[in-house]
Amino acid sequence: MDTALRWGEKPYYSLDYALKQQFGEKIYKLTLHAGCTCPNRDGTLGTGGCIFCSAGGSGEFAASPTLSITEQVAQGKALLSQKRPARKYIAYFQAYTNTYGPLSRLERIFTEALSLPEVVILSIATRPDCLGPEVLALLERLNRQKPVWVELGLQTIHEKTASFIRRGYALPCYTSAVQELHKRGISVITHVILGLPGESQEQMLETVRYVNHLPVSGLKLQLLHILKNTDLATYYEQQPFPVFSLEDYVQTVIACLEICHPHMVIHRLTGDGPKDLLLAPLWSCSKRHVLNTIHSTLHRQNTWQSRRWALTPDLLPQS
């Protein structure tokens, strides 16, 4: 199988390739801040957030919430232009829970982002338990203007792990949210964390298999980062647990890719936590090196996304 003919230069269906196929050119992401909080922080569900989540709500690279959305976009474009030229962008609301707030305010900021001619996609990171009927109706309306993506932080299908990381919702909530978004023609991207304490590689693969059999269009694989000033950091210092080596992480990512169906867009293969906050694993500081290692290993092992897809059982979570 000549995967290069199917997915460009990489043996998997990368986001970059998918966007070039859709828009005919490179599309860049601008990370914006909606000024939202999270029910796992404001006392509705809890006050500490997920155990791995930093004070910035996973939005350390986002613009300042004191700026308007238009100002944030302009600032992001100016910073990006110093490195590479661009004409079209994804407006990515990343920090905290971006459908958690007054509906009128959500409509205002999302509409402002979509009104900018250079913004071609609206991407919204949120929780599946923050997608009530009115929010879903809003997203459906917005999706008629320009494509809307909703990014859901599943992380794992295993309830024991989900409880440990204080995710705050049960698996059926995620599954229902995916179905509701799909019914409205809204693309769903799912975040999965690899390396959560106590999970075997097979459990991680079970999570990917579960996502693989839902109407999910994109997958983000994220290496577990242990960041300073998080509850996970305290736990790690008091009860050290194994973290991935680079070699083991690469093999786990490849195993995940091999069981993904061929139309699953791979949005991320790793991540880069803020260097001043990162406690472990320190090798992840060099994101480019990690990606290059994944790519070279895929080629060396002559493997590709969906290689084992036809052999993948439709497994339901066992725990």
Side-chain angles (χ1 to χ4, degrees):
M1 179 183 297
D2 189 349
T3 55
L5 295 176
R6 299 174 60 193
W7 299 308
E9 297 177 356
K10 298 183 177 69
Y12 60 90
Y13 194 11
S14 70
L15 174 61
D16 182 61
Y17 180 77
L19 290 172
K20 286 179 179 176
Q21 292 296 106
Q22 182 177 356
F23 294 99
E25 62 185 279
K26 181 83 172 178
I27 308 296
Y28 291 93
K29 186 175 291 184
L30 300 176
T31 304
L32 311 178
H33 203 305
C36 294
T37 182
C38 174
N40 217 2
R41 287 177 175 270
D42 70 359
T44 302
L45 294 175
T47 56
C50 293
I51 192 172
F52 52 79
C53 198
S54 64
S58 299
E60 284 78 13
F61 303 114
S64 170
T66 62
L67 301 176
S68 71
I69 300 305
T70 301
E71 290 170 336
Q72 290 185 45
V73 168
Q75 183 184 72
K77 287 169 57 180
L79 291 172
L80 193 60
S81 68
Q82 298 173 13
K83 299 179 181 179
R84 53 186 73 90
R87 297 191 315 130
K88 298 177 180 178
Y89 303 89
I90 299 170
Y92 178 35
F93 290 91
Q94 179 183 25
Y96 303 106
T97 302
N98 291 284
T99 59
Y100 187 61
L103 189 70
S104 59
R105 183 174 180 277
L106 297 177
E107 183 166 14
R108 176 174 56 79
I109 60 176
F110 295 154
T111 300
E112 182 178 352
L114 284 178
S115 71
L116 300 172
E118 63 269 40
V119 170
V120 295
I121 295 171
L122 175 65
S123 187
I124 302 168
T126 190
R127 296 169 56 90
D129 55 354
C130 293
L131 289 168
E134 291 184 337
V135 171
L136 288 169
L138 169 62
L139 298 178
E140 186 174 14
R141 292 197 303 272
L142 296 173
N143 193 47
R144 297 190 191 110
Q145 301 175 35
K146 293 178 183 178
V148 172
W149 296 349
V150 171
E151 305 198 13
L152 298 177
L154 172 64
Q155 322 309 0
T156 178
I157 62 168
H158 301 287
E159 295 298 349
K160 181 178 179 180
T161 311
S163 176
F164 172 76
I165 64 175
R166 299 198 305 254
R167 189 178 65 189
Y169 67 83
L171 183 60
C173 178
Y174 161 80
T175 308
S176 175
V178 171
Q179 299 288 1
E180 290 298 321
L181 289 163
H182 178 68
K183 283 195 304 188
R184 291 164 174 80
I186 297 168
S187 295
V188 179
I189 299 154
T190 294
H191 295 226
V192 170
I193 294 180
L194 303 178
L196 290 168
E199 287 206 349
S200 65
Q201 185 187 84
E202 180 54 32
Q203 286 178 302
M204 299 173 211
L205 293 177
E206 286 175 1
T207 294
V208 173
R209 290 188 187 106
Y210 189 84
V211 173
N212 206 39
H213 289 89
L214 291 173
V216 171
S217 64
L219 180 66
K220 280 190 172 181
L221 297 175
Q222 171 68 52
L223 168 68
L224 178 70
H225 288 123
I226 303 172
L227 302 179
K228 296 176 183 177
N229 305 318
T230 63
D231 289 343
L232 181 63
T234 301
Y235 180 85
Y236 182 67
E237 290 165 357
Q238 296 175 352
Q239 302 183 57
F241 57 87
V243 296
F244 272 122
S245 66
L246 173 58
E247 294 75 16
D248 287 343
Y249 182 72
V250 168
Q251 292 303 323
T252 300
V253 167
I254 290 175
C256 291
L257 289 175
E258 287 181 329
I259 63 173
C260 282
H261 66 69
H263 302 296
M264 179 74 79
V265 179
I266 306 302
H267 286 240
R268 178 185 291 165
L269 293 177
T270 184
D272 50 345
K275 293 182 180 180
D276 60 331
L277 295 179
L278 185 66
L279 290 176
L282 294 177
W283 55 261
S284 67
C285 282
S286 179
K287 183 178 179 181
R288 177 50 52 193
H289 176 64
V290 176
L291 290 173
N292 287 341
T293 303
I294 293 171
H295 296 156
S296 63
T297 306
L298 281 163
H299 287 291
R300 187 175 66 252
Q301 295 180 185
N302 190 29
T303 191
W304 55 87
Q305 177 179 338
S306 78
R307 182 185 178 194
R308 302 182 187 277
W309 172 61
L311 305 176
T312 303
D314 190 0
L315 290 182
L316 294 176
Q318 301 299 308
S319 60

